Amino acid sequence: MSQWLKGKTVVLGVTGGIAAFKGAALCSKLVQAGADVRVVMTASAVKFIAPMTFQALSRHAVAVDTFDEQDASVIAHIDLADRADLVIVAPATANFMAKLALGLGDDMLTTLLLATRAPIVVCPAMNVHMYANPAVQYNMDTLAKRGIRFIEPGEGQLACGYVGKGRLAEPEEIMASIGRLFDTPKLLAGKKVLITAGGTIERIDPVRYLTNDSSGKMGFAIADAARELGADVTVIAARTSVEPPAGVKAVRVESAEQMLHAVLERCAQADIIIKSAAVADYRPLETADQKIKKHGETMTITLVRNPDILSRLGELKRPGQVLVGFAAETERLEENAQDKLRRKKCDFLVANDVSLEGAGFGTDTNIVRIYNEDGLVADLPQQTKREVAEKLLAIVYDRLQQEGVAKA
Ligand code: PMT
């Protein structure tokens, strides 16, 4: 059998359900495929199947207790979280998914999942009515919006006696899904992608600044998706509330001017530039060296225009380079977007109405329309920022191909 998972570390989470025995079959298949499999079991899982089974199959000690640190040089759950190329939980109980949706970290598996940046695949298994329960469906929905992938349970005879949906997907099916996950075509191999993310900070004094609500999630989702497509990714990040994804070069800046310089240093080499950052249009005329003391009842801060980075990039754009701008709008989306596309000389403009629930600043999802010089290219209903990123990159890749510079 081919070792198609050779070099990959797969963390297999096993939670407490009767289907835990199928987790052992999955573990065996993962090992046969060449993966370095690290098994983490919950306290309930060990009531269904002994850790020794997984230890023998994976040839590694099984982690159950967060506080059972075998190696004093590392913190086990962080070490596993960092090492994982994939975390797969099979079977996943309703209780486990509820904890994950809430962000609880009260055992080895949940703490590891909070800490990992690897893709997470969850394979639910439970009674048919439990699976259909609105609370369970709501939790799954929440997790899906955060980018967690699910392998749906199958239908059939369940251990509880019912017939219906709830049976853990067969190990072969789970392996096929993992195969698709690792088999992302490297369409952007050899391409340099420059992305901006987050909200700029414009200092008033050493402790005060002007900024906006950008979390960096949109820009980082694009960076991660581009990395997965094989690109060499640099992300210039201003203030963000999340960390940049692993495997990309992250350059930290504060202000629009710093972002401009960081971008100008790198733009000539970039094949694709995507400006998803929320850049302040104005900055204080003066930044005080010391904390400003209060005087009187009012205070006036004079603001001056910041450079428009995207417009500068539009001026500097070289043949074959693809430039993508974003537009955060609260009214006249299409009109404003097309105006920005033309003025800033972008190839594509991604417009989001940031007044809509589930779109824009801080959310895990977005609702966007993508325009080019001929008009609307894609109208994407609410979906995760990661899905938006993948679709945007597919459109950009098509443009690169049309220009004959993409990988054949
Ligand atoms: O970070 P998140 O919380 O995930 O939120 C994502 C987002 C809402 C920030 C993102 O989807 C988005 O809309 N980004 C662009 C925000 C913005 O600044 O829009 P704008 O319409 O003001 O600017 C238009 C374009 O010009 C943007 O590409 C912007 O980066 C660029 N610009 C703006 C001003 C300036 N001085 N320099 C620029 O380069």
Side-chain angles (χ1 to χ4, degrees):
M1 181 179 234
S2 94
Q3 298 262 296
W4 58 276
L5 282 174
K6 198 159 184 54
K8 302 280 182 211
T9 299
V10 177
V11 171
L12 172 62
V14 183
T15 72
I18 187 68
F21 75 93
K22 276 195 190 171
L26 177 63
C27 179
S28 165
K29 287 194 179 299
L30 287 166
V31 172
Q32 283 170 37
D36 180 19
V37 183
R38 305 298 173 129
V39 180
V40 179
M41 298 176 76
T42 62
S44 312
V46 303
K47 306 234 187 249
F48 288 91
I49 184 166
M52 184 54 75
T53 305
F54 287 100
Q55 180 173 316
L57 290 169
S58 68
R59 290 176 213 114
H60 289 294
V62 171
V64 180
D65 180 356
T66 328
F67 299 101
D68 181 20
E69 297 281 2
Q70 300 285 336
D71 177 357
S73 66
V74 293
I75 300 166
H77 64 279
I78 303 293
D79 181 48
L80 279 178
D82 288 345
R83 254 202 265 175
D85 294 296
L86 171 73
V87 183
I88 180 152
V89 184
T93 61
N95 181 58
F96 160 78
M97 292 192 292
K99 289 203 294 185
L100 196 57
L102 277 175
L104 295 183
D106 64 351
D107 60 13
M108 186 69 182
L109 184 59
T110 47
T111 46
L112 183 152
L113 283 162
L114 285 174
T116 194
R117 294 201 206 159
I120 299 171
V121 176
V122 171
C123 310
M126 65 198 75
N127 163 272
V128 58
H129 300 310
M130 275 173 95
Y131 186 69
N133 188 293
V136 173
Q137 290 299 316
Y138 179 83
N139 288 332
M140 288 178 63
D141 206 35
T142 304
L143 293 170
K145 284 184 181 146
R146 284 184 208 150
I148 289 177
R149 296 164 169 91
F150 283 93
I151 300 178
E152 295 255 323
E155 293 197 28
Q157 182 76 43
L158 304 178
C160 54
Y162 281 93
V163 175
K165 192 166 182 173
R167 214 164 69 170
L168 180 67
E170 294 305 319
E172 294 74 16
E173 189 191 336
I174 299 174
M175 290 299 285
S177 293
I178 297 172
R180 284 193 291 276
L181 196 74
F182 281 120
D183 198 21
T184 315
K186 303 292 179 213
L187 296 177
L188 295 179
K191 300 288 166 217
K192 284 193 176 358
V193 180
L194 183 62
I195 296 162
T196 67
T200 61
I201 281 180
E202 309 298 335
R203 291 240 164 238
I204 298 168
D205 71 12
V207 294
R208 302 180 179 102
Y209 53 77
L210 303 173
T211 190
N212 58 63
D213 286 330
S214 174
S215 61
K217 289 179 185 173
M218 189 67 247
F220 289 165
I222 301 169
D224 195 41
R227 178 205 51 78
E228 202 166 290
L229 289 173
D232 173 358
V233 182
T234 302
V235 59
I236 315 283
R239 195 187 65 90
T240 63
S241 59
V242 290
E243 288 301 307
V248 308
K249 289 173 215 130
V251 178
R252 284 288 179 182
V253 294
E254 271 204 353
S255 65
E257 288 197 306
Q258 289 173 6
M259 182 174 278
L260 173 71
H261 291 129
V263 165
L264 288 181
E265 260 176 47
R266 296 165 177 85
C267 67
Q269 296 84 43
D271 299 292
I272 301 166
I273 306 178
I274 304 181
K275 277 229 72 257
S276 55
V279 183
D281 289 320
Y282 293 88
R283 67 179 184 280
L285 174 64
E286 283 166 5
T287 301
D289 290 338
Q290 306 300 329
K291 183 175 169 226
I292 299 173
K293 298 281 178 213
K294 55 179 169 293
H295 304 285
E297 289 308 307
T298 61
M299 176 182 170
T300 304
I301 300 171
T302 304
L303 301 179
V304 291
R305 275 291 280 271
N306 261 332
D308 191 311
I309 307 168
L310 185 57
S311 296
R312 292 282 285 276
L313 290 168
E315 299 294 341
L316 295 170
K317 200 169 102 61
R318 61 169 169 76
Q321 190 176 56
V322 180
L323 179 61
V324 182
F326 267 69
E329 304 295 342
T330 54
E331 56 176 351
R332 301 203 303 277
L333 185 82
E334 176 156 358
E335 192 185 321
N336 289 335
Q338 291 193 334
D339 174 57
K340 280 179 189 167
L341 176 96
R342 276 188 286 274
R343 271 194 298 112
K344 305 194 183 202
K345 299 192 173 72
C346 304
D347 296 294
F348 296 102
L349 196 119
V350 184
N352 39 192
D353 180 341
V354 294
S355 64
L356 295 179
E357 198 173 322
F361 294 96
T363 51
D364 292 316
T365 58
N366 212 347
I367 303 166
V368 308
R369 285 185 181 177
I370 305 177
Y371 295 93
N372 70 6
E373 63 278 15
D374 299 324
L376 187 66
V377 178
D379 186 356
L380 305 182
Q382 185 175 356
Q383 54 203 282
T384 61
K385 285 183 172 167
R386 176 55 193 240
E387 285 165 328
V388 170
E390 285 168 9
K391 287 171 189 157
L392 172 63
L393 289 171
I395 290 169
V396 169
Y397 173 72
D398 275 353
R399 170 63 67 96
L400 280 175
Q401 263 202 327
Q402 280 163 23
E403 299 197 9
V405 293
K407 212 173 152 231

